[in-house]
């Protein structure tokens, strides 16, 4: 039985900052970000947007025109959770009006958790092909103003419907995993911004890629030349370039040419370059970018690498379906990226520093541009969500 992606979409906040603006503020050359990190724009959430509204917006887009009564499970992957107990997915379940006999849970392991969700979903659907699983990956990457990580922030969500009707992509059974207890990036409960050992995190990412690939090979995975494209977790798009060259060298014992790297990666990097790191959603935003922007990929095998600091990594693969283009809203995705408002540095820092009080008093976020759902504020320590007109 084939199991895979029946529907796939994303949502990003309606505001962004150009990294040229950040560079100017820091007296640095924009080339450091545009070329050195491969990043041009960073999505910035307004005060009335959070991981719940972004995920609900992505899901509403992915499920458009679909019958939702067979969604038996909703898995919400995030490291930007809004509550220590209640799963963010329950708010989304309610906003979307999904059927009540649905299990909902939140998953966490840095940027890796959506891939854990995917593996759970594949097993659930294989066990009962009549059920579908909705995976939501939603995150806000925050390092802090004027930190080394600041140019690699971002925000957004991806929604994936996994079923036995894989109209977009069928996943292959083999995968390779790697885990190691490292402190490359973490966020203690009492901090709102991540702590990171940036250069070390890049080294560990590359090590985890090699280890996950070796495990994938040991588990009967496909060989390098059987893939036409590769998608990597994208903390910044230059990381994929580094990763692919690293993997190429491991496999071929010589450097891949610039042309080979470009042919394997290019279309998958476009959206990430304009959005930034979306943690758990990053790999899958890259997959959407590839499917939306490459010419016909039907029947082709894609290699996928998921990495979450701390760390857990997984290499896996899938084959693109015939006529997959008909099941993607590629034009809608491009429009979403295009129709955004640019922020200057002051407006960006105001959004960044906005906080609701934590004493239980009522506080409203104010009205900004959002999608179909917004986070209107808090009262009595409870979050209030609503549909927009
Ligand atoms: P940095 O110190 O700001 O930058 O840190 P740099 O000095 O290393 O420069 C970056 C690149 O720009 C270098 O290229 C420079 O040469 C180049 P490289 O040596 O890498 O080839 N450069 C220029 N290029 C063109 N024109 C110029 C110019 N100037 C310099 N004028 C760092 C960069 C990524 C470390 C920092 O941004 C950071 O700490 N980011 C956050 C951590 C991160 O993204 N780590 C990635 C791996 S870990 C991961 O992916 C997991 C994560 O997503 C979290 C999770 O799992 O939840 C982060």
């Amino acid at each position: 039985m084939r199991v895979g992606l029946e529907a796939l979409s994303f949502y990003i906040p309606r505001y962004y900052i150009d990294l040229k603006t950040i560079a100017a503020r820091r007296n640095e050359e924009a080339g450091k970000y545009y070329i050195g990190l491969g990043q041009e724009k960073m999505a910035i959430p307004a005060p009335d947007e959070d991981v719940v509204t972004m995920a609900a917006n992505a899901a509403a887009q992915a499920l458009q025109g679909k019958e939702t009564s067979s969604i038996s499970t909703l898995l919400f992957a995030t490291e930007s959770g809004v509550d220590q107990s209640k799963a963010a997915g329950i708010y989304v379940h309610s906003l979307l009006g999904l059927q009540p006999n649905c299990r909902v849970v939140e998953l966490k392991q840095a940027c890796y958790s959506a891939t854990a969700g995917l593996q759970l979903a594949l097993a659930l659907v294989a066990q009962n092909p009549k059920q579908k699983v909705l995976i939501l990956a939603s995150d806000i990457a925050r390092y802090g103003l004027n930190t080394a990580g600041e140019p690699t922030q971002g925000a957004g969500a991806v929604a994936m419907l996994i079923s036995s009707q894989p109209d977009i992509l069928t996943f292959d059974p083999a995968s390779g995993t790697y885990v190691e207890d490292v402190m490359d990036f973490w966020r203690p409960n009492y901090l709102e911004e991540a702590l990171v050992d940036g250069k070390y995190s890049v080294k560990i990412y590359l090590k985890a890629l090699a280890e996950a690939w070796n495990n994938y090979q040991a588990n009967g995975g496909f060989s390098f030349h059987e893939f036409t494209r590769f998608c990597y977790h994208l903390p910044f798009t230059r990381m994929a370039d580094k990763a692919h060259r690293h993997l190429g060298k491991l496999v071929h014992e010589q450097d891949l040419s610039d042309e080979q790297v470009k042919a394997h990666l290019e279309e998958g990097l476009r959206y990430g370059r304009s959005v930034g790191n979306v943690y758990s959603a990053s790999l899958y935003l890259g997959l959407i970018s590839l499917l939306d922007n490459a010419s016909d990929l039907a029947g082709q095998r894609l290699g996928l690498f998921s990495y979450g600091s701390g760390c857990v990594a997984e290499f896996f693969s899938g084959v693109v379906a015939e006529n997959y283009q008909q099941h993607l809203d590629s034009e809608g995705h491009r429009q979403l990226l295009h129709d955004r408002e640019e922020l200057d540095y002051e407006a960006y820092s105001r959004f960044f520093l906005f906080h609701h009080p934590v004493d239980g008093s009522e506080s409203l976020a104010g009205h900004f541009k959002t999608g179909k759902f917004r986070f209107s504020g808090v009262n009595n320590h409870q979050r209030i969500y609503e549909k927009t007109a």
Side-chain angles (χ1 to χ4, degrees), residues 26 29-33 35-37 79 109-112 143 148-152 184-185 196-199 201-202 205 233-236 238-239 242 277 279 307-309:
R26 295 170 162 225
E29 284 176 30
K32 175 168 176 183
Y33 305 134
I35 301 162
L37 295 180
E79 54 178 304
Q109 182 5 69
C111 301
Y112 168 75
Y143 292 92
E150 183 184 26
T152 62
D184 61 331
F185 166 106
V196 64
D197 188 343
K199 299 273 176 353
S201 73
V202 171
Y205 179 120
H233 165 56
L234 294 176
F236 49 92
R238 186 70 206 297
M239 188 70 229
K242 286 177 195 277
N277 195 351
Y279 289 160
Y307 176 79
S309 282

Side-chain angles (χ1 to χ4, degrees), residues 68-184:
T68 58
S69 63
S70 44
I71 297 177
S72 65
T73 302
L74 189 165
L75 302 173
F76 196 108
T78 189
E79 54 178 304
S80 326
V82 295
D83 194 287
Q84 288 285 59
S85 297
K86 179 169 173 166
I90 297 179
Y91 294 112
V92 179
H93 178 275
S94 156
L95 288 168
L96 297 178
L98 297 179
Q99 60 96 0
N101 304 111
C102 176
R103 66 172 74 80
V104 179
V105 73
E106 188 168 309
L107 303 170
K108 181 186 69 185
Q109 182 5 69
C111 301
Y112 168 75
S113 57
T115 304
L118 177 63
Q119 295 298 349
L120 297 175
L122 295 177
L124 283 168
V125 176
Q127 194 182 38
N128 178 358
K130 288 197 183 115
Q131 62 177 346
K132 301 184 183 192
V133 179
L134 179 62
I135 303 172
L136 302 176
S138 185
D139 264 309
I140 300 174
R142 284 172 69 92
Y143 292 92
L145 302 177
N146 211 23
T147 59
E150 183 184 26
T152 62
Q153 297 177 140
V158 165
M160 303 187 263
L161 187 64
I162 304 299
S163 80
S164 55
Q165 187 196 314
D167 289 330
I168 297 175
L169 184 127
T170 299
F171 290 101
D172 295 316
S175 85
T177 47
Y178 179 71
V179 63
E180 186 177 341
D181 181 2
V182 287
M183 295 303 280
D184 61 331

Side-chain angles (χ1 to χ4, degrees), residues 142 166 215 230 232 254:
R142 284 172 69 92
N215 186 239
F230 292 78
Y232 290 88
Q254 63 182 35

